[in-house]
Amino acid sequence: MTVKNKVVVITGASSGIGEATAKLLAKNGAKVVLGARRKDRLEKLVADIKADGGQAAYQTVDVRDAEQVAALVAYAKTTFGGVDVIFNNAGIMPTSPISALHTQEWNDMVDINIKGVLNGVAAVMPDFVANKSGHIITTSSVAGLKSFPGSGVYGATKFAVRNLMEVIRTESASEGTNIRTTTLYPAAINTELLNTISDKAARKGMDALYDAVGINPDAIARVVNFAIDQPEDVNVNEFTIYPTKQA
Ligand code: NDP
């Protein structure tokens, strides 16, 4: 099981971690199928990958909609003949104190960060079970391991997918379906994620942290590449990735 020739579906591929991962995996011979809402960004990324000799395709998707996520996976199958890996990476991080009651943002995070991942899992599970093979990779966060002020709901969504992924791993092992699961716990990675924060004080604090310590999303791309590259009987199931300077 190496990256070369693997068909990898990536959600949240229009920027940040998803974009960096798409570029690296394609460079190493994967066939990447990219999903997000911003068509112009996906179009340009696919053109750039192809210009570098890689194989890529895209379809716009809102991960909140199960049918759209299923259609993305179906598109990957018709374009490249199957799906080996899904990277459930799309997410938003509108952090704020619970007392500020940004309840619409709470709902948005549940819908995108949890239900979006569930929709990805549901879209690939029938084939992965039938084939007794497949790899589900999901971006949680260090906020899925520890509780931080401002991360009440964001962290809750990331703790939720952590639990989901570990249960898929244990069920797959006991059911003999050989599905590999890799959960990522990144800390401060310089992407467009902070633009999803509407709370001014929360944004100011995050800007200061990321300006001081944030690292390039290529760091996460390399980890995803490593996880896929392992032999079929090896499941590297968790990675925590901090900037060296982040306390
Ligand atoms: P970006 O904002 O750069 O990327 C987020 C991606 O998610 C974009 O491609 C965006 O595309 C997509 N997205 C958001 N909402 C939806 C939706 N409803 N449907 C489809 N796609 C959607 O941030 P990152 O790269 O940092 O974020 C990627 C993941 O990493 C997220 O899950 C985030 O929580 C996680 N993470 C990031 C950390 C960081 O420090 N950057 C730390 C820990 C975890 P579009 O808007 O075009 O739909």
Side-chain angles (χ1 to χ4, degrees):
M1 182 97 180
T2 59
V3 165
K4 192 168 168 54
N5 289 324
K6 289 285 166 292
V7 180
V8 185
V9 174
I10 303 176
T11 68
S14 58
S15 61
I17 291 169
E19 178 181 6
T21 304
K23 284 182 182 160
L24 181 66
L25 297 184
K27 192 174 146 216
N28 289 337
K31 300 164 186 169
V32 294
V33 179
L34 312 179
R37 293 166 301 178
R38 287 172 293 176
K39 185 171 191 285
D40 54 334
R41 299 281 291 257
L42 294 174
E43 205 165 49
K44 182 173 184 314
L45 179 56
V46 166
D48 289 348
I49 288 172
K50 285 182 173 172
D52 285 343
Q55 297 185 72
Y58 78 90
Q59 184 155 298
T60 54
V61 66
D62 188 325
V63 295
R64 290 173 286 197
D65 183 333
E67 284 182 15
Q68 289 186 34
V69 180
L72 177 70
V73 168
Y75 175 64
K77 286 164 68 177
T78 54
T79 307
F80 292 124
V83 171
D84 299 296
V85 183
I86 188 163
F87 182 20
N88 297 304
N89 169 69
I92 57 170
M93 188 184 70
T95 49
S96 61
I98 294 296
S99 57
L101 294 178
H102 289 301
T103 54
Q104 182 57 51
E105 293 180 344
W106 299 357
N107 288 329
D108 292 342
M109 283 188 276
V110 169
D111 286 345
I112 295 171
N113 298 1
I114 302 178
K115 291 187 192 165
V117 172
L118 287 170
N119 290 337
V121 169
V124 295
M125 191 58 88
D127 282 347
F128 284 8
V129 169
N131 299 338
K132 290 195 185 312
S133 173
H135 194 163
I136 301 172
I137 304 175
T138 294
T139 313
S140 175
S141 166
V142 288
L145 297 171
K146 293 188 206 172
S147 300
F148 301 97
S151 277
V153 178
Y154 179 70
T157 67
K158 296 302 187 178
F159 269 86
V161 297
R162 174 189 182 197
N163 180 73
L164 170 73
M165 291 293 286
E166 180 61 3
V167 169
I168 294 171
R169 187 189 71 76
T170 53
E171 288 180 352
S172 163
S174 60
E175 291 167 4
T177 48
N178 304 333
I179 299 168
R180 303 196 297 176
T181 55
T182 301
T183 312
L184 310 174
Y185 303 99
I189 311 296
N190 290 324
T191 66
E192 298 175 21
L193 193 66
L194 302 192
N195 294 339
T196 63
I197 305 175
S198 69
D199 187 275
K200 286 193 171 57
R203 174 72 193 254
K204 202 172 163 199
M206 286 292 193
D207 277 341
L209 171 69
Y210 280 64
D211 285 349
V213 304
I215 55 172
N216 190 293
D218 291 347
I220 310 302
R222 289 192 296 273
V223 160
V224 173
N225 191 94
F226 176 84
I228 297 172
D229 239 351
Q230 298 309 303
E232 184 79 29
D233 61 348
V234 178
N235 180 21
V236 267
N237 79 309
E238 291 195 316
F239 288 98
T240 305
I241 310 103
Y242 275 95
T244 308
K245 287 183 182 170
Q246 184 172 355

